[in-house]
Amino acid sequence: MAAAEGSGAGGAAKPLFAGLSDVSISEDIPVEGEITVPVGSCSPDEDYSTLDEPVRDTIMRDLKAVGKKFVHVMYPKKSSALLRDWDLWGPLVLCVSLALMLQGGSADSKEDGGPQFAEVFVIIWFGAVVITLNSKLLGGTISFFQSLCVLGYCVLPLTVAMLVCRLVLLAGSGTVSFIVRLIVVMAMFAWSTLASTAFLADSQPPNRKALVIYPIFLFYFVISWMILTFTAQ
Amino acid sequence: MQAGGSSGAAVIDMENMDDTSGSSFEDMGEMHQRMKEEEEEEAEAAVGDEEDGEFLGMKGFRGQLGRQVADQMWQAGKRQASKAFSLYANIDILRPYFDVEPIQVRNRLLESMIPVKMINFPQKIAGELYGPLMLVFTLVAILLHGMKTSDTIIREGTLMGTAIGTCFGYWLGVSSFIYFLAYLCNAQITMVQMLSLLGYGLFGHCVTLFITYNIHFHSLFYVFWLGIGGLSTLRMVAVLVSRTVGHTQRLILCGTLSALHMLFLLYLHFAYHKVVEGILDTLEGPNVPPFQRVARDIPVVSSAVLNTTVKVMALTS
């Protein structure tokens, strides 16, 4: 009896919803995020398949995703891969390696060492959070974690600059090495700023781009300054 | 007004992560979780229906009632908590204070150096927080630059922490103090306006410190201190005077503000930047190392100031 009622109700409802197939979404409404939802019947299978696969495959898949994003940062084009599949692994790895390389001597030595690990870590994440909040308050359409992801990944050129600086410092620490380091750091700073601007500025209203770019400029400037003034013990 | 893609309420909803524009792992996990929850709810409802039909006696009835009450309390509590969370984590409260155009920011920066003439009726203060916040961060960056080039050694704490603490402490602390004084002196100014006024007043500080951290002449610093610092202080004072009635009140308010503002610039220059004496003495030496490491505790500043001032006097006389 219940089944018959169900089918009867379904039959009565069909003409009501028949027109739904004609609805179409116009192309100029920007839709964010993944709108393809996996159909329920196949998701348990997919779940089991990623559970059963060897650990190496899982790790390699994540590593490949991170590597692809690194390439996107080094050659910034207007692709949306960085924004669509955000992840925070890359920024974490970059932040930790930069902080390790920037770490100075111990705190109670006669000559004060450089910034400590925690300092660099906090600066990078706190700075990224502030920039994200600022861009959201100015009316940006990008989400919180997407912005954090972009800002974190764009630290990559500066990490490369840090590596180069350390190698140059191994060779010597005179005026020539200072000039070389200055040029390298300035080039990488410009690259970082341009890369992050390419990704983030599009999400702002067009007349307010300068208001968003300035804090990003300041953020990378502070990091570049820490890299440039690093002296090996 | 905005190219609205996301919803109006910009809630930092980290636990739900409703920006499922993220990676597919979260998507799948969420779908699975939701389906499991729905199944559990259906199972519970089915069980509840069955028990409705049977007459389990008083014990069964009370058990079911207890469960329903507990469930309702849980739902109500959850609703309250999420309402409170969305109220406080809602950054939309700050949104109106960031509603500016770049050209407005530029104009306000330039106006902060121009004292107003008309103090007979209240001057308009824009209650905006973007410009002041960016100026405070710029001051932090300039301070860091100054501390690094003079190899300031901080014993307890870190370089960055000191810079941020000093600048934000000044901006927030002095704003609150002057707001409190303004409340005592019956001045017509709100907290946001005070924050905005003092923040824009830091523009003079930024310019002065940026120039004098790179060009090490004490006389130049004193000229800038009086000129640029004085101009921005005069502007703030004029605006406050236009909003206060009564001579004593005006005197108290403006005297305090000018003293604090000018002294802060003095403090920033001398506490965080030590002129390397070697450069002053041996201006002709080509091999003077650019960064000289001199251990120095921050409180012991007066003797260093005295020494360098005497040396400058000896050099110029």
Side-chain angles (χ1 to χ4, degrees), chain A residues 9 12 24 27 45 47 51 86 116 131 138 152-153 172 177 184 186 214 227 231 233:
Chain A
S24 64
E27 286 307 305
D45 292 353
D47 204 8
L51 248 160
W86 61 265
Q116 301 303 313
I131 294 176
L138 284 172
Y153 270 106
S177 95
V184 166
M186 271 177 36
Y214 179 69
I227 293 175
T231 51
Q233 241 58 18

Coordinates of all heavy atoms in Angstrom, one line a residue, chain A residues 9 12 24 27 45 47 51 86 116 131 138 152-153 172 177 184 186 214 227 231 233:
Chain A
A9 N 2.1 9.3 -5.9 CA 2.6 10.7 -5.6 C 3.7 11.1 -6.6 O 3.7 12.2 -7.1 CB 3.2 10.8 -4.2
A12 N 2.0 12.1 -9.8 CA 1.4 13.4 -9.7 C 2.5 14.5 -9.8 O 2.3 15.6 -10.3 CB 0.6 13.5 -8.5
S24 N 18.9 26.3 -17.6 CA 20.3 26.2 -17.8 C 21.0 27.4 -17.1 O 20.4 28.5 -16.9 CB 20.6 26.3 -19.3 OG 20.2 27.6 -19.8
E27 N 26.4 31.5 -18.7 CA 27.9 31.3 -18.6 C 28.6 32.3 -17.8 O 29.7 32.1 -17.3 CB 28.5 31.2 -20.0 CG 28.2 29.9 -20.7 CD 28.6 28.7 -19.9 OE1 29.7 28.6 -19.4 OE2 27.7 27.8 -19.6
D45 N 33.1 2.5 -3.7 CA 34.1 1.8 -4.5 C 35.4 2.6 -4.5 O 36.5 2.1 -4.3 CB 33.6 1.6 -5.9 CG 32.5 0.6 -5.9 OD1 32.2 0.0 -4.9 OD2 31.9 0.4 -7.0
D47 N 36.3 4.9 -2.5 CA 36.9 4.9 -1.2 C 37.8 3.7 -1.0 O 38.9 3.8 -0.5 CB 35.8 5.0 -0.2 CG 36.2 5.6 1.1 OD1 37.4 6.1 1.2 OD2 35.5 5.6 2.1
L51 N 41.9 3.3 -0.5 CA 42.3 2.7 0.8 C 43.3 1.5 0.5 O 44.2 1.3 1.2 CB 41.1 2.2 1.6 CG 40.9 3.0 2.9 CD1 39.5 2.8 3.3 CD2 41.9 2.5 3.9
W86 N 43.6 23.7 -3.8 CA 44.5 24.2 -2.9 C 44.9 23.1 -1.9 O 44.2 22.2 -1.6 CB 43.9 25.4 -2.1 CG 42.7 25.1 -1.3 CD1 41.4 25.2 -1.7 CD2 42.6 24.5 0.0 NE1 40.6 24.8 -0.7 CE2 41.3 24.4 0.3 CE3 43.6 24.2 0.9 CZ2 40.9 23.9 1.6 CZ3 43.2 23.7 2.1 CH2 41.9 23.5 2.5
Q116 N 65.2 33.4 14.9 CA 65.0 32.0 15.3 C 64.0 31.4 14.4 O 63.2 32.1 13.7 CB 64.6 31.9 16.8 CG 65.6 32.5 17.7 CD 67.0 31.9 17.5 OE1 67.2 30.7 17.5 NE2 68.0 32.8 17.4
I131 N 47.2 39.3 5.3 CA 46.9 39.6 3.9 C 45.6 39.1 3.4 O 44.8 39.7 2.7 CB 48.0 39.2 3.0 CG1 49.3 39.9 3.3 CG2 47.7 39.4 1.5 CD1 50.5 39.4 2.5
L138 N 38.4 43.8 1.7 CA 38.3 44.7 0.6 C 37.3 44.3 -0.4 O 37.2 44.9 -1.4 CB 39.7 45.0 0.0 CG 40.6 45.8 0.8 CD1 42.0 45.8 0.2 CD2 40.1 47.3 0.8
G152 N 51.6 31.1 0.3 CA 52.6 30.1 0.7 C 53.4 29.6 -0.4 O 54.7 29.6 -0.4
Y153 N 52.8 29.3 -1.5 CA 53.5 28.7 -2.7 C 54.4 29.8 -3.3 O 55.5 29.5 -3.8 CB 52.6 28.2 -3.7 CG 52.3 26.7 -3.6 CD1 51.0 26.3 -3.1 CD2 53.2 25.8 -3.8 CE1 50.7 25.0 -2.9 CE2 52.9 24.4 -3.6 CZ 51.7 24.1 -3.1 OH 51.4 22.7 -3.0
G172 N 82.5 33.5 0.2 CA 83.2 34.6 0.8 C 82.1 35.6 1.2 O 81.0 35.5 0.8
S177 N 80.2 39.7 -3.0 CA 79.2 38.7 -2.6 C 77.9 39.4 -2.2 O 76.8 39.0 -2.5 CB 79.7 37.8 -1.5 OG 79.3 38.2 -0.3
V184 N 70.3 38.9 -6.6 CA 69.5 37.7 -6.6 C 68.3 37.9 -5.8 O 67.2 37.5 -6.2 CB 70.4 36.5 -6.1 CG1 69.5 35.3 -5.7 CG2 71.4 36.1 -7.1
M186 N 66.7 40.6 -4.9 CA 65.8 41.6 -5.4 C 65.0 41.0 -6.6 O 63.8 41.1 -6.8 CB 66.5 42.8 -5.9 CG 66.6 43.9 -4.8 SD 67.5 45.3 -5.2 CE 67.2 45.7 -6.9
Y214 N 49.7 46.1 -2.2 CA 50.7 46.7 -1.3 C 51.1 45.9 -0.1 O 52.2 45.7 0.2 CB 50.2 48.1 -0.8 CG 51.1 48.8 0.1 CD1 52.4 49.2 -0.3 CD2 50.8 48.9 1.5 CE1 53.3 49.8 0.6 CE2 51.7 49.5 2.3 CZ 52.9 49.9 1.9 OH 53.8 50.5 2.7
I227 N 66.3 37.6 4.4 CA 67.3 36.7 3.7 C 68.5 37.5 3.4 O 69.6 37.0 3.5 CB 66.6 36.3 2.4 CG1 65.4 35.3 2.7 CG2 67.6 35.6 1.5 CD1 64.7 34.9 1.5
T231 N 73.7 36.5 7.9 CA 75.1 36.3 7.8 C 75.4 34.9 8.5 O 75.0 34.7 9.6 CB 75.9 37.4 8.6 OG1 75.4 37.5 9.9 CG2 75.8 38.7 7.8
Q233 N 77.2 32.1 10.6 CA 78.0 32.2 11.8 C 79.4 31.5 11.5 O 79.4 30.4 11.0 CB 77.3 31.4 12.9 CG 77.0 32.3 14.1 CD 76.1 33.5 13.7 OE1 75.5 33.5 12.6 NE2 76.1 34.5 14.5

